[in-house]
Amino acid sequence: MLLTNLIVLTASVTAAAATPFEFPLPDGFPSPSPAQLAQIEQGAGGTLASSFLPASLKDPAVTILQLLTNNELFEVAYFTELLANITNNVPGYDEAATAPLDRAYLIKALSTIANQEELHALGANGILLGAKQAPIAPCKYDFPVSSFKEAILLAQTFTDTALGTIPAVQALFAADGAEEARNIPLLGSILAQEGEQVGFFRYVQRKTPSAAPFLTGGSAGFAFTALQMFIVPDSCPKPLSSINLPTFKPLEIVNKPMARNMTLWYAVDGPVDCERQAVVYISGQNLPLAVPIACPARLSRGGITKFKAEFPFEAGFANGLTIAAVVNGTGPFLGPDAVAAATVYGPGLIEVD
């Protein structure tokens, strides 16, 4: 079930690349010269934002900006490698793999996205520096894809995850009531830009460009855990453990989710209490839905527990991203942050249409 595990982005990721992706890039990123920055801006279709930079940040804002910067650096690495694979006709990314798309258009589109992500990362680090906080340096990365089809699906999924996280960041900045609140419109512009990207990824897969009327929300802890699936352990100059966010234990979805009511099998490295724990689904802007774990859970000799739970898609789930997690208790849960606070294993990132 390799493709299934890719679709749901399980944490049992095996690196596909022969060597990890490392910076710097030929254009000088992450520390471009003024002339190199001008070239990046030209390729991105616009300049770095010159809007307000806070002179200070509250601790929660620092933490969330550290997450966002790490995520933007990952995205730069991902799209740079994807673009190189296509440009160099790597097997799985050659003309036959990308057909019937026009390759010149595809290369231009992905080059633009890569440049835009560079500006997102530079901008996020600029906010940290303006508030006298240490900037985030890139890690080394591995990407569990070996074809254009897999790569575009993965890009859709991690972008969907970002789309669910940014509104939570806006809410945090607003609740802080500090200087960072003035950056809420900036985050809104990034949210819209990422939405344009995911529409392109969906179009390439012959899906409707927009998945659902209301997209799935997220939580910083889920985004932080998902990000670490692609980071080479102990490769970050600033240890990820120094970021004040939880890292959950991996949740593997064993069989392929479909856009219908069905039973899903899960696997985790550790115990599961089918009476005191539940699987919770976050989909669209609906209240999280908890479903029972079927007893008994199967514990193997290696400590891996396999269990099943219903996937009630027809109960009002949205097309696109659904987030699954194993939690303590059965709820009710008022939103993604409440689910994250009770999570033991997760997230399982499910893409269905």
Side-chain angles (χ1 to χ4, degrees):
M1 300 301 295
L2 178 59
L3 182 58
T4 297
N5 289 345
L6 170 67
I7 291 172
V8 298
L9 286 189
T10 68
S12 56
V13 164
T14 300
T19 56
F21 185 98
E22 296 186 52
F23 289 96
L25 301 184
D27 64 8
F29 184 88
S31 302
S33 68
Q36 289 171 321
L37 175 60
Q39 288 296 313
I40 294 169
E41 291 174 328
Q42 183 176 1
T47 66
L48 267 175
S50 60
S51 53
F52 173 78
L53 290 177
S56 63
L57 295 167
K58 288 190 174 181
D59 287 346
V62 172
T63 297
I64 210 70
L65 280 166
Q66 291 170 336
L67 166 63
L68 292 180
T69 308
N70 269 297
N71 192 70
E72 298 294 356
L73 290 167
F74 149 70
E75 292 188 3
V76 173
Y78 187 83
F79 290 117
T80 300
E81 181 163 289
L82 174 56
L83 181 62
N85 287 340
I86 295 170
T87 304
N88 295 322
N89 287 301
V90 171
Y93 300 86
D94 53 16
E95 189 168 353
T98 59
L101 296 169
D102 178 82
R103 284 179 70 78
Y105 167 74
L106 180 62
I107 289 170
K108 178 176 175 56
L110 291 173
S111 178
T112 301
I113 289 172
N115 281 300
Q116 290 167 347
E117 296 302 343
E118 289 183 43
L119 294 187
H120 289 174
L122 291 170
N125 260 336
I127 295 174
L128 288 170
L129 282 167
K132 300 179 179 60
Q133 299 292 326
I136 301 297
C139 311
K140 297 179 183 179
Y141 307 91
D142 272 328
F143 308 123
V145 293
S146 57
S147 71
F148 176 72
K149 180 179 180 180
E150 293 176 352
I152 290 296
L153 176 55
L154 180 54
Q156 175 195 332
T157 308
F158 67 65
T159 307
D160 276 341
T161 305
L163 288 173
T165 305
I166 294 173
V169 178
Q170 292 176 298
L172 183 148
F173 279 15
D176 270 358
E179 291 187 34
E180 56 263 28
R182 292 176 62 180
N183 287 126
I184 293 174
L186 175 65
L187 290 170
S189 73
I190 295 172
L191 179 67
Q193 192 271 348
E194 297 282 349
E196 291 181 335
Q197 284 188 30
V198 85
F200 169 70
F201 303 144
R202 291 179 57 85
Y203 169 77
V204 166
Q205 299 171 83
R206 300 194 175 191
K207 301 175 181 178
T208 58
S210 54
F214 304 102
L215 299 184
T216 297
S219 178
F222 289 144
F224 186 55
T225 301
L227 174 63
Q228 293 175 65
M229 300 177 192
F230 313 110
I231 294 176
V232 176
D234 302 319
S235 70
C236 301
K238 180 181 178 64
L240 294 175
S241 59
S242 67
I243 298 176
N244 188 28
L245 287 170
T247 298
F248 304 114
K249 297 177 183 178
L251 174 64
E252 178 181 356
I253 304 173
V254 178
N255 55 323
K256 181 178 180 178
M258 306 291 287
R260 57 177 174 81
N261 291 346
M262 62 181 296
T263 300
L264 288 181
W265 280 93
Y266 296 90
V268 297
D269 187 0
V272 170
D273 187 332
C274 58
E275 295 181 351
R276 295 180 176 84
Q277 294 177 327
V279 172
V280 174
Y281 297 106
I282 303 167
S283 188
Q285 288 296 310
N286 302 311
L287 288 172
L289 178 63
V291 301
I293 295 171
C295 291
R298 303 176 183 176
L299 180 63
S300 71
R301 291 182 180 179
I304 302 299
T305 302
K306 292 185 178 181
F307 59 95
K308 61 183 178 179
E310 294 306 304
F311 179 61
F313 180 82
E314 295 167 29
F317 284 18
N319 283 341
L321 178 67
T322 291
I323 299 173
V326 175
V327 303
N328 288 323
T330 58
F333 299 99
L334 297 182
D337 284 339
V339 175
T343 292
V344 180
Y345 302 102
L349 304 181
I350 300 170
E351 286 281 358
V352 294
D353 282 271

mmCIF file of all heavy atoms in Angstrom, residues 145-174:
data_model
loop_
_atom_site.group_PDB
_atom_site.id
_atom_site.type_symbol
_atom_site.label_atom_id
_atom_site.label_comp_id
_atom_site.label_asym_id
_atom_site.label_seq_id
_atom_site.Cartn_x
_atom_site.Cartn_y
_atom_site.Cartn_z
ATOM 1 N N VAL A 145 8.701 10.897 -2.680
ATOM 2 C CA VAL A 145 8.013 10.805 -3.964
ATOM 3 C C VAL A 145 9.013 10.403 -5.038
ATOM 4 O O VAL A 145 10.201 10.710 -4.942
ATOM 5 C CB VAL A 145 7.334 12.138 -4.348
ATOM 6 C CG1 VAL A 145 6.184 12.449 -3.410
ATOM 7 C CG2 VAL A 145 8.336 13.292 -4.326
ATOM 8 N N SER A 146 8.520 9.727 -6.071
ATOM 9 C CA SER A 146 9.405 9.295 -7.153
ATOM 10 C C SER A 146 8.775 9.501 -8.518
ATOM 11 O O SER A 146 9.242 8.953 -9.511
ATOM 12 C CB SER A 146 9.781 7.817 -6.981
ATOM 13 O OG SER A 146 8.614 7.011 -6.933
ATOM 14 N N SER A 147 7.700 10.294 -8.589
ATOM 15 C CA SER A 147 7.065 10.583 -9.864
ATOM 16 C C SER A 147 6.354 11.925 -9.788
ATOM 17 O O SER A 147 6.061 12.432 -8.694
ATOM 18 C CB SER A 147 6.052 9.492 -10.233
ATOM 19 O OG SER A 147 4.902 9.564 -9.402
ATOM 20 N N PHE A 148 6.070 12.487 -10.951
ATOM 21 C CA PHE A 148 5.360 13.763 -11.016
ATOM 22 C C PHE A 148 3.984 13.652 -10.378
ATOM 23 O O PHE A 148 3.556 14.536 -9.624
ATOM 24 C CB PHE A 148 5.240 14.207 -12.477
ATOM 25 C CG PHE A 148 4.440 15.453 -12.668
ATOM 26 C CD1 PHE A 148 4.934 16.682 -12.280
ATOM 27 C CD2 PHE A 148 3.174 15.398 -13.246
ATOM 28 C CE1 PHE A 148 4.193 17.847 -12.456
ATOM 29 C CE2 PHE A 148 2.426 16.552 -13.429
ATOM 30 C CZ PHE A 148 2.936 17.778 -13.028
ATOM 31 N N LYS A 149 3.287 12.564 -10.645
ATOM 32 C CA LYS A 149 1.947 12.376 -10.091
ATOM 33 C C LYS A 149 1.978 12.381 -8.574
ATOM 34 O O LYS A 149 1.160 13.046 -7.921
ATOM 35 C CB LYS A 149 1.357 11.065 -10.610
ATOM 36 C CG LYS A 149 -0.044 10.765 -10.107
ATOM 37 C CD LYS A 149 -0.569 9.449 -10.677
ATOM 38 C CE LYS A 149 -1.971 9.146 -10.164
ATOM 39 N NZ LYS A 149 -2.495 7.862 -10.722
ATOM 40 N N GLU A 150 2.909 11.637 -7.991
ATOM 41 C CA GLU A 150 3.031 11.606 -6.534
ATOM 42 C C GLU A 150 3.414 12.975 -5.983
ATOM 43 O O GLU A 150 2.910 13.406 -4.939
ATOM 44 C CB GLU A 150 4.068 10.573 -6.123
ATOM 45 C CG GLU A 150 3.684 9.142 -6.416
ATOM 46 C CD GLU A 150 4.792 8.155 -6.079
ATOM 47 O OE1 GLU A 150 5.916 8.589 -5.752
ATOM 48 O OE2 GLU A 150 4.520 6.946 -6.152
ATOM 49 N N ALA A 151 4.328 13.663 -6.692
ATOM 50 C CA ALA A 151 4.827 14.949 -6.212
ATOM 51 C C ALA A 151 3.731 16.006 -6.175
ATOM 52 O O ALA A 151 3.659 16.814 -5.239
ATOM 53 C CB ALA A 151 5.992 15.417 -7.080
ATOM 54 N N ILE A 152 2.857 16.025 -7.189
ATOM 55 C CA ILE A 152 1.790 17.019 -7.223
ATOM 56 C C ILE A 152 0.756 16.727 -6.145
ATOM 57 O O ILE A 152 0.229 17.643 -5.491
ATOM 58 C CB ILE A 152 1.156 17.071 -8.624
ATOM 59 C CG1 ILE A 152 2.142 17.693 -9.620
ATOM 60 C CG2 ILE A 152 -0.139 17.868 -8.600
ATOM 61 C CD1 ILE A 152 2.504 19.150 -9.325
ATOM 62 N N LEU A 153 0.447 15.453 -5.910
ATOM 63 C CA LEU A 153 -0.492 15.107 -4.841
ATOM 64 C C LEU A 153 0.072 15.512 -3.488
ATOM 65 O O LEU A 153 -0.648 16.053 -2.633
ATOM 66 C CB LEU A 153 -0.786 13.619 -4.864
ATOM 67 C CG LEU A 153 -1.689 13.090 -3.731
ATOM 68 C CD1 LEU A 153 -3.011 13.839 -3.679
ATOM 69 C CD2 LEU A 153 -1.927 11.597 -3.882
ATOM 70 N N LEU A 154 1.349 15.275 -3.278
ATOM 71 C CA LEU A 154 1.963 15.671 -2.011
ATOM 72 C C LEU A 154 1.955 17.188 -1.858
ATOM 73 O O LEU A 154 1.666 17.713 -0.772
ATOM 74 C CB LEU A 154 3.391 15.130 -1.934
ATOM 75 C CG LEU A 154 4.187 15.441 -0.666
ATOM 76 C CD1 LEU A 154 3.440 15.018 0.587
ATOM 77 C CD2 LEU A 154 5.554 14.766 -0.727
ATOM 78 N N ALA A 155 2.241 17.913 -2.939
ATOM 79 C CA ALA A 155 2.201 19.379 -2.880
ATOM 80 C C ALA A 155 0.802 19.868 -2.523
ATOM 81 O O ALA A 155 0.636 20.804 -1.729
ATOM 82 C CB ALA A 155 2.648 19.966 -4.216
ATOM 83 N N GLN A 156 -0.219 19.236 -3.105
ATOM 84 C CA GLN A 156 -1.593 19.602 -2.758
ATOM 85 C C GLN A 156 -1.847 19.393 -1.268
ATOM 86 O O GLN A 156 -2.448 20.250 -0.606
ATOM 87 C CB GLN A 156 -2.579 18.756 -3.569
ATOM 88 C CG GLN A 156 -4.034 18.996 -3.167
ATOM 89 C CD GLN A 156 -4.972 17.922 -3.687
ATOM 90 O OE1 GLN A 156 -4.719 17.299 -4.716
ATOM 91 N NE2 GLN A 156 -6.067 17.699 -2.974
ATOM 92 N N THR A 157 -1.368 18.276 -0.736
ATOM 93 C CA THR A 157 -1.694 17.933 0.645
ATOM 94 C C THR A 157 -1.002 18.854 1.638
ATOM 95 O O THR A 157 -1.629 19.341 2.586
ATOM 96 C CB THR A 157 -1.334 16.466 0.919
ATOM 97 O OG1 THR A 157 -1.938 15.651 -0.074
ATOM 98 C CG2 THR A 157 -1.836 16.033 2.283
ATOM 99 N N PHE A 158 0.301 19.122 1.444
ATOM 100 C CA PHE A 158 0.935 19.995 2.433
ATOM 101 C C PHE A 158 0.491 21.448 2.274
ATOM 102 O O PHE A 158 0.489 22.216 3.243
ATOM 103 C CB PHE A 158 2.464 19.832 2.462
ATOM 104 C CG PHE A 158 3.248 20.268 1.259
ATOM 105 C CD1 PHE A 158 3.315 21.595 0.861
ATOM 106 C CD2 PHE A 158 4.012 19.339 0.555
ATOM 107 C CE1 PHE A 158 4.089 21.993 -0.224
ATOM 108 C CE2 PHE A 158 4.787 19.721 -0.537
ATOM 109 C CZ PHE A 158 4.814 21.060 -0.932
ATOM 110 N N THR A 159 0.065 21.828 1.060
ATOM 111 C CA THR A 159 -0.478 23.178 0.905
ATOM 112 C C THR A 159 -1.852 23.277 1.553
ATOM 113 O O THR A 159 -2.186 24.294 2.176
ATOM 114 C CB THR A 159 -0.538 23.563 -0.582
ATOM 115 O OG1 THR A 159 0.748 23.379 -1.182
ATOM 116 C CG2 THR A 159 -0.940 25.028 -0.740
ATOM 117 N N ASP A 160 -2.670 22.235 1.414
ATOM 118 C CA ASP A 160 -3.951 22.202 2.132
ATOM 119 C C ASP A 160 -3.741 22.327 3.639
ATOM 120 O O ASP A 160 -4.520 22.992 4.342
ATOM 121 C CB ASP A 160 -4.684 20.891 1.838
ATOM 122 C CG ASP A 160 -5.482 20.924 0.542
ATOM 123 O OD1 ASP A 160 -5.780 22.029 0.054
ATOM 124 O OD2 ASP A 160 -5.803 19.844 0.024
ATOM 125 N N THR A 161 -2.691 21.678 4.144
ATOM 126 C CA THR A 161 -2.394 21.763 5.580
ATOM 127 C C THR A 161 -2.033 23.192 5.969
ATOM 128 O O THR A 161 -2.470 23.703 7.009
ATOM 129 C CB THR A 161 -1.249 20.801 5.938
ATOM 130 O OG1 THR A 161 -1.592 19.476 5.511
ATOM 131 C CG2 THR A 161 -0.994 20.784 7.434
ATOM 132 N N ALA A 162 -1.246 23.864 5.124
ATOM 133 C CA ALA A 162 -0.903 25.265 5.388
ATOM 134 C C ALA A 162 -2.146 26.145 5.354
ATOM 135 O O ALA A 162 -2.309 27.057 6.190
ATOM 136 C CB ALA A 162 0.118 25.751 4.364
ATOM 137 N N LEU A 163 -3.045 25.883 4.405
ATOM 138 C CA LEU A 163 -4.273 26.677 4.305
ATOM 139 C C LEU A 163 -5.121 26.547 5.565
ATOM 140 O O LEU A 163 -5.836 27.483 5.942
ATOM 141 C CB LEU A 163 -5.088 26.231 3.090
ATOM 142 C CG LEU A 163 -4.525 26.610 1.715
ATOM 143 C CD1 LEU A 163 -5.340 25.962 0.608
ATOM 144 C CD2 LEU A 163 -4.512 28.121 1.540
ATOM 145 N N GLY A 164 -5.049 25.400 6.224
ATOM 146 C CA GLY A 164 -5.796 25.230 7.467
ATOM 147 C C GLY A 164 -5.122 25.843 8.667
ATOM 148 O O GLY A 164 -5.783 26.152 9.673
ATOM 149 N N THR A 165 -3.795 26.044 8.572
ATOM 150 C CA THR A 165 -3.035 26.545 9.718
ATOM 151 C C THR A 165 -2.996 28.068 9.766
ATOM 152 O O THR A 165 -3.057 28.665 10.845
ATOM 153 C CB THR A 165 -1.594 25.993 9.672
ATOM 154 O OG1 THR A 165 -1.638 24.568 9.604
ATOM 155 C CG2 THR A 165 -0.803 26.411 10.902
ATOM 156 N N ILE A 166 -2.903 28.718 8.604
ATOM 157 C CA ILE A 166 -2.738 30.177 8.587
ATOM 158 C C ILE A 166 -3.890 30.916 9.257
ATOM 159 O O ILE A 166 -3.659 31.877 10.012
ATOM 160 C CB ILE A 166 -2.506 30.675 7.143
ATOM 161 C CG1 ILE A 166 -1.159 30.151 6.629
ATOM 162 C CG2 ILE A 166 -2.525 32.203 7.083
ATOM 163 C CD1 ILE A 166 -0.896 30.440 5.157
ATOM 164 N N PRO A 167 -5.172 30.515 9.059
ATOM 165 C CA PRO A 167 -6.224 31.212 9.808
ATOM 166 C C PRO A 167 -6.063 31.093 11.324
ATOM 167 O O PRO A 167 -6.402 32.036 12.058
ATOM 168 C CB PRO A 167 -7.505 30.513 9.327
ATOM 169 C CG PRO A 167 -7.169 30.000 7.974
ATOM 170 C CD PRO A 167 -5.737 29.574 8.063
ATOM 171 N N ALA A 168 -5.544 29.957 11.789
ATOM 172 C CA ALA A 168 -5.295 29.819 13.228
ATOM 173 C C ALA A 168 -4.224 30.791 13.685
ATOM 174 O O ALA A 168 -4.275 31.323 14.805
ATOM 175 C CB ALA A 168 -4.886 28.375 13.546
ATOM 176 N N VAL A 169 -3.238 31.039 12.817
ATOM 177 C CA VAL A 169 -2.195 32.019 13.134
ATOM 178 C C VAL A 169 -2.786 33.425 13.185
ATOM 179 O O VAL A 169 -2.481 34.218 14.085
ATOM 180 C CB VAL A 169 -1.059 31.954 12.096
ATOM 181 C CG1 VAL A 169 0.006 33.001 12.400
ATOM 182 C CG2 VAL A 169 -0.448 30.555 12.065
ATOM 183 N N GLN A 170 -3.655 33.744 12.234
ATOM 184 C CA GLN A 170 -4.309 35.052 12.251
ATOM 185 C C GLN A 170 -5.101 35.254 13.541
ATOM 186 O O GLN A 170 -5.066 36.333 14.146
ATOM 187 C CB GLN A 170 -5.227 35.193 11.040
ATOM 188 C CG GLN A 170 -4.492 35.276 9.703
ATOM 189 C CD GLN A 170 -5.446 35.315 8.532
ATOM 190 O OE1 GLN A 170 -6.204 34.367 8.327
ATOM 191 N NE2 GLN A 170 -5.422 36.386 7.768
ATOM 192 N N ALA A 171 -5.813 34.215 13.962
ATOM 193 C CA ALA A 171 -6.596 34.309 15.191
ATOM 194 C C ALA A 171 -5.690 34.521 16.396
ATOM 195 O O ALA A 171 -6.009 35.307 17.300
ATOM 196 C CB ALA A 171 -7.433 33.042 15.378
ATOM 197 N N LEU A 172 -4.539 33.839 16.408
ATOM 198 C CA LEU A 172 -3.595 34.006 17.512
ATOM 199 C C LEU A 172 -3.055 35.438 17.552
ATOM 200 O O LEU A 172 -2.968 36.053 18.624
ATOM 201 C CB LEU A 172 -2.449 33.010 17.365
ATOM 202 C CG LEU A 172 -1.390 32.971 18.475
ATOM 203 C CD1 LEU A 172 -0.842 31.566 18.643
ATOM 204 C CD2 LEU A 172 -0.223 33.927 18.157
ATOM 205 N N PHE A 173 -2.689 35.969 16.375
ATOM 206 C CA PHE A 173 -2.171 37.348 16.325
ATOM 207 C C PHE A 173 -3.232 38.334 16.808
ATOM 208 O O PHE A 173 -2.917 39.302 17.506
ATOM 209 C CB PHE A 173 -1.746 37.691 14.899
ATOM 210 C CG PHE A 173 -0.381 37.176 14.511
ATOM 211 C CD1 PHE A 173 0.263 36.204 15.259
ATOM 212 C CD2 PHE A 173 0.256 37.664 13.384
ATOM 213 C CE1 PHE A 173 1.514 35.728 14.912
ATOM 214 C CE2 PHE A 173 1.514 37.195 13.013
ATOM 215 C CZ PHE A 173 2.146 36.227 13.775
ATOM 216 N N ALA A 174 -4.481 38.089 16.442
ATOM 217 C CA ALA A 174 -5.553 38.981 16.874
ATOM 218 C C ALA A 174 -5.767 38.891 18.378
ATOM 219 O O ALA A 174 -5.953 39.907 19.066
ATOM 220 C CB ALA A 174 -6.840 38.642 16.133
#
